Amino acid sequence: ANAAWGAAKLLQPRKYANPRERRAVQGSDIEEALKAACASLLRKIGDLAETRPDDFKAQELANVAWSFATADLDAPRLYASLATSATPRLAQFSAQELANVAWAFAKRLGTGAAGVPNTNAPDDVACAEASRTMFEAWSEECILRFPDGDFKAQELANAVWAVATAGFEASDEFWDTAARAAVPLMRDPEQAQTQNIANCLWSYAKSG
């Protein structure tokens, strides 16, 4: 899981110190070779994780899902396997892990996370079905946890963003409990960052 996280971070757009460095490095043979090596490593990790998802702890599972979403690598069999493994043990996930896994699935799969496959390919269909089942159990777990104050502002914002992005039809109870949990968080100067507020407002508006 840590190796996947590291490889995905290296595949993210690099920040250069100045335009000169960007011109020298961006698109160079070294940079392209590094990206190819990281993508290859992620593929190998994904193949292994696909067959052993239950070996991953909650944070590790969330990290693997996050890694493939961040690297934007197509891996429907992996996501189906992760969803099937996560569903019966979501109660063991922390608020951050719940938010991260939902964010990763929504980011990588889009509506596929809510049960609408991206293509008619068997792997995509199976992935969509497993992901929808996970989101159903996930939303129920969130309803139980929102009132406890487990979620920080960014975690709650990521959770509702994932639901809206995937187009998952969460219950009114989900949205109501999330809204009640958000009120004190958005009044906290240390947590009420503009990005969190914007993500929450966008999610509620998109989901109607």
Side-chain angles (χ1 to χ4, degrees):
N2 288 342
W5 183 89
K9 291 289 286 185
L10 287 172
L11 284 170
Q12 288 183 304
R14 178 176 174 179
K15 293 182 180 180
Y16 299 97
N18 52 60
R20 182 178 179 181
E21 181 186 9
R22 183 184 63 188
R23 288 193 297 270
V25 176
Q26 192 173 44
S28 66
D29 291 343
I30 293 176
E31 185 174 61
E32 293 305 312
L34 176 61
K35 289 181 179 180
C38 289
S40 177
L41 174 60
L42 271 175
R43 289 292 186 193
K44 292 178 181 178
I45 293 172
D47 290 342
L48 177 63
E50 180 187 329
T51 61
R52 298 172 52 187
D54 294 341
D55 289 350
F56 290 98
K57 297 177 182 178
Q59 183 178 354
E60 296 166 347
L61 188 150
N63 283 350
V64 171
W66 178 92
S67 298
F68 274 76
T70 299
D72 199 25
L73 292 178
D74 189 38
R77 291 196 304 272
L78 170 63
Y79 273 85
S81 182
L82 294 177
T84 301
S85 177
T87 299
R89 52 189 177 116
L90 289 170
Q92 301 172 20
F93 282 50
S94 67
Q96 182 179 23
E97 290 155 1
L98 287 171
N100 286 353
V101 76
W103 180 92
F105 272 72
K107 174 78 163 53
R108 174 80 284 274
L109 302 177
T111 58
V116 181
N118 297 314
T119 73
N120 291 325
D123 285 346
D124 282 336
V125 172
C127 179
E129 291 176 353
S131 298
R132 184 190 67 246
T133 299
M134 185 195 74
F135 258 84
E136 289 170 350
W138 174 90
S139 65
E140 293 299 318
E141 184 64 27
C142 286
I143 289 171
L144 295 175
R145 305 274 283 279
F146 283 149
D148 294 338
D150 289 350
F151 284 76
K152 296 179 181 179
Q154 183 175 356
E155 295 161 358
L156 191 146
N158 285 349
V160 295
W161 178 91
V163 171
T165 298
F168 176 70
E169 294 184 3
S171 66
D172 289 343
E173 187 179 9
F174 172 88
W175 291 108
D176 289 345
T177 54
R180 286 194 292 271
V183 171
L185 295 175
M186 298 309 169
R187 289 175 176 169
D188 183 348
E190 294 184 1
Q191 296 198 61
Q193 298 177 6
T194 55
Q195 186 66 58
N196 296 332
I197 295 172
N199 283 350
C200 282
L201 292 175
W202 177 86
S203 300
Y204 274 81
K206 188 174 189 303
S207 298

